[in-house]
Amino acid sequence: MSDLTKQVEEIILGAVPNAQVMVRDPLNDGTHLEATVISESFVGMSLVNQHRQVMQSLKNAFSGDLHALALKTYTPEKWSNAQS
Amino acid sequence: MTIVERIENDINSNRVMLYMKGIPAAPMCGFSDTVVKILQQLGVEFGSANVLEDTELREGIKNFSDWPTIPQLYVDGNFIGGCDIVVEMYQSGELQSLLQARDA
């Protein structure tokens, strides 16, 4: 796992309470990452606000090495439905 | 006119407004291209602004929406989201119903 991937994971963990976070670097280029974030705290939140909470926590990373983050956010329930 | 006034003027005079890298005919980033393709596929008229040619706008829009990346889509003056959200709403049909809501 690249430094940036680890750093992004830690930042999101710090920003989203009780979250399960998976960050990947599919192109292995260290700038275009993917993240999946699952948290109870998303319940009742609109999709854009779920994403905003994650994206804003990465504001500095975006002005640094992080060029793009393909993001998926789930409540635990939506995640389990997605798995079935 | 301040940058905020400019943005408010944009999003209130264009029912659908896209802040992007490049122009609809020549997007300069894959994410902007994806949103342009979705809007064109839906046959939606939209205003657009090329943030690559306007650094003040490029930073101003991020502060305005509290969202750190481009593209940014606005409908009826409201921030809808970036590429991920537009794609997810398009796939769920939510984007289509949002756009039809005002046409009916």
Side-chain angles (χ1 to χ4, degrees):
Chain A
M1 190 187 269
S2 72
D3 296 344
L4 183 61
T5 311
K6 194 93 196 78
Q7 188 197 341
V8 165
E9 192 178 294
E10 271 149 26
I11 293 170
I12 298 174
L13 281 168
V16 181
N18 318 315
Q20 207 187 328
V21 181
M22 290 158 270
V23 182
R24 292 175 301 281
D25 182 359
L27 308 177
N28 230 334
D29 64 4
T31 61
H32 296 73
L33 302 186
E34 276 177 9
T36 301
V37 186
I38 305 156
S39 172
E40 190 65 38
S41 66
F42 287 152
V43 174
M45 263 172 112
S46 68
L47 191 62
V48 68
N49 285 335
Q50 293 176 24
H51 280 225
R52 182 180 270 137
Q53 187 178 7
V54 175
M55 299 291 271
Q56 273 310 83
S57 72
L58 295 165
K59 205 171 178 176
N60 297 332
F62 274 118
S63 40
D65 297 337
L66 183 60
H67 173 70
L69 181 75
L71 177 60
K72 287 269 184 211
T73 56
Y74 297 90
T75 59
E77 192 198 345
K78 190 178 171 192
W79 176 253
S80 60
N81 294 344
Q83 303 312 297
S84 49
Chain B
M1 192 191 269
T2 67
I3 188 70
V4 171
E5 283 160 349
R6 262 181 61 196
I7 293 169
E8 277 166 353
N9 184 42
D10 278 344
I11 63 177
N12 291 321
S13 41
N14 294 278
R15 188 182 162 225
V16 181
M17 180 68 194
L18 178 63
Y19 292 89
M20 62 178 289
K21 290 179 180 175
I23 55 173
M28 303 290 282
C29 135
F31 299 103
S32 292
D33 185 40
T34 300
V35 176
V36 165
K37 292 272 191 316
I38 286 175
L39 294 176
Q40 287 171 343
Q41 206 277 329
L42 293 177
V44 171
E45 262 187 56
F46 62 97
S48 70
N50 180 2
V51 302
L52 294 180
E53 282 172 8
D54 187 334
T55 8
E56 192 193 9
L57 177 61
R58 184 171 187 172
E59 291 319 311
I61 194 68
K62 292 176 187 175
N63 298 324
F64 181 84
S65 58
D66 218 8
W67 184 270
T69 58
I70 302 292
Q72 294 187 17
L73 183 66
Y74 291 75
V75 175
D76 299 326
N78 301 311
F79 174 57
I80 299 304
C83 182
D84 288 326
I85 287 183
V86 171
V87 168
E88 207 161 317
M89 286 176 73
Y90 172 65
Q91 286 166 345
S92 69
E94 205 181 328
L95 185 62
Q96 291 83 325
S97 42
L98 173 70
L99 293 170
Q100 271 142 23
R102 267 287 301 279
D103 288 349

